[in-house]
Every structure is written in structure tokens, then in C-alpha cells.
Amino acid sequence: MRLLPRHYLLLIIGLPAMAQTPKKGLHFTSSIQQKITVYNGTIFVNGNKAHQLDPEAINYGSKRNRLVENEGTVFLFLDIAPLQKLYVFRIDHSNADSVLSAASSDVKDLDHDGLLEFGGSDATQAYPSADSAYYVPTHYYEIARGRITPDAELTQKMDKKINGVYLANPLNPNGQCCKVIPKKH
């Protein structure tokens, strides 16, 4: 019985040492040896401050934070947790230029065309009627030839899958998102 209190004492002393602190930094190296660090909301490229974000916004533990290189262009993807967004930056020399933001998603070949895509739809509120729903538009992007461009084909395909229909103009008559459509059954 004397060993039991010793175990509790060791457990109390050892718990703080075993606790994991949240990750607050990211480190990447491009194929041309650019050092990209994201620390406390700041993007550093080769040691130079390149861009400032809200330090609490970045989900440092996300697997969606990554570098993607395409035909000599380096893109930095950062998962922004509170907004459920993926921020994309083009890294060039010691600069980090904001390119776009998209729905937080994995960056992978979604339509099996050999190119990386990302995107999706934002969450919308529920429509009050049981037989209808708000149209939830998607926005997908493709990485090709060192650029990020909208992927219209994948966007239409995913809109049809999610909503049952593709609407080129999803805004309601007031210019707000989004039109009401019958629920698919």
C-alpha cells in the first residue's frame, strides 16, 4: 500500500511534462531551397517578414497546411480554422502574395485529370421549409502551368451532385446567396 501514494506523486509531478503544447509554427523548404516559416501568424520567407495574419486564426496542426510546387511556382496553403477557409499564398523570392481563399479542403486530384484541385462549398443556414433548400454553390480551383484557376467542369459536377442542379447564377433577386430550390429526394 505504500507504493500507491508514490505512484500518485509521480503522476502529479509528471503530468505537466507529458502535456502537449499546441503547435504554433510551421516550417517548409521549397525545391529551390526557399525557407518558409509561419510563426505566430507571420509568414517569413528566407527570414524576411512577408505577410501578417491573425495569430489565432491559423490551424497549425492541420494536415492541409502545405507547400505545393507547380512548374516553378511555389504555393503555400494555410488552413484558417475559425472561417473554415484555405488561404493560398504565392511564394516568390522573399514575398508571400495572397492569391485567394477557398473552402477548407484537401489539395488533391479530385477529378482524376492528373492535376491538383481544391475547394468546396461554404456552410449555409437551413431553409425553413421541409420541401426546399438553399442552393449551395461550390467553387473549385485547379493548379496547372504554375497558376491557380477556377475549375468550371469540377464545380458544375459537384454542384449537380450536391444540389441536384447547376445554377450559373445562384444569387437570389436581392443579390444575396442563394436561390431556393426544391430538395432532391
Side-chain angles (χ1 to χ4, degrees):
M1 294 302 273
R2 286 187 181 195
L3 293 177
L4 196 55
R6 289 183 192 162
H7 285 106
Y8 285 125
L9 181 61
L10 287 173
L11 183 64
I12 291 170
I13 292 171
L15 274 178
M18 292 186 282
Q20 294 183 5
T21 57
K23 192 173 182 180
K24 286 291 182 186
L26 301 168
H27 303 280
F28 303 100
T29 303
S30 72
S31 64
I32 58 171
Q33 300 307 307
Q34 289 175 305
K35 304 285 185 202
I36 297 108
T37 301
V38 182
Y39 180 74
N40 201 25
T42 304
I43 300 171
F44 296 93
V45 181
N46 297 326
N48 298 317
K49 184 177 178 180
H51 197 89
Q52 181 68 46
L53 296 166
D54 176 4
E56 300 302 316
I58 301 169
N59 180 1
Y60 289 95
S62 174
K63 293 181 180 176
R64 293 178 174 158
N65 297 324
R66 63 185 284 198
L67 278 187
V68 173
E69 297 185 52
N70 183 270
E71 295 192 21
T73 304
V74 178
F75 296 104
L76 171 64
F77 289 80
L78 294 177
D79 192 14
I80 307 300
L83 302 176
Q84 296 182 352
K85 291 284 188 182
L86 197 60
Y87 282 13
V88 185
F89 297 89
R90 182 174 181 253
I91 306 298
D92 187 23
H93 296 88
S94 292
N95 297 317
D97 295 322
S98 179
V99 176
L100 61 87
S101 67
S104 184
S105 68
D106 292 335
V107 179
K108 60 184 182 180
D109 186 2
L110 296 169
D111 57 5
H112 309 291
D113 63 355
L115 301 172
L116 295 175
E117 291 95 12
F118 62 95
S121 61
D122 293 323
T124 60
Q125 63 188 20
Y127 189 69
S129 173
D131 64 345
S132 300
Y134 285 114
Y135 179 81
V136 183
T138 62
H139 301 282
Y140 285 89
Y141 301 91
E142 184 170 72
I143 304 170
R145 296 181 298 283
R147 297 177 40 181
I148 295 177
T149 57
D151 189 334
E153 186 177 319
L154 181 58
T155 297
Q156 288 181 20
K157 177 182 172 186
M158 295 306 288
D159 272 8
K160 287 177 185 175
K161 180 178 179 182
I162 292 169
N163 299 301
V165 65
Y166 170 73
L167 299 178
N169 182 8
L171 303 180
N172 67 21
N174 296 332
Q176 298 169 326
C177 188
C178 287
K179 289 182 180 175
V180 177
I181 57 171
K183 275 190 180 175
K184 60 180 186 172
H185 299 283

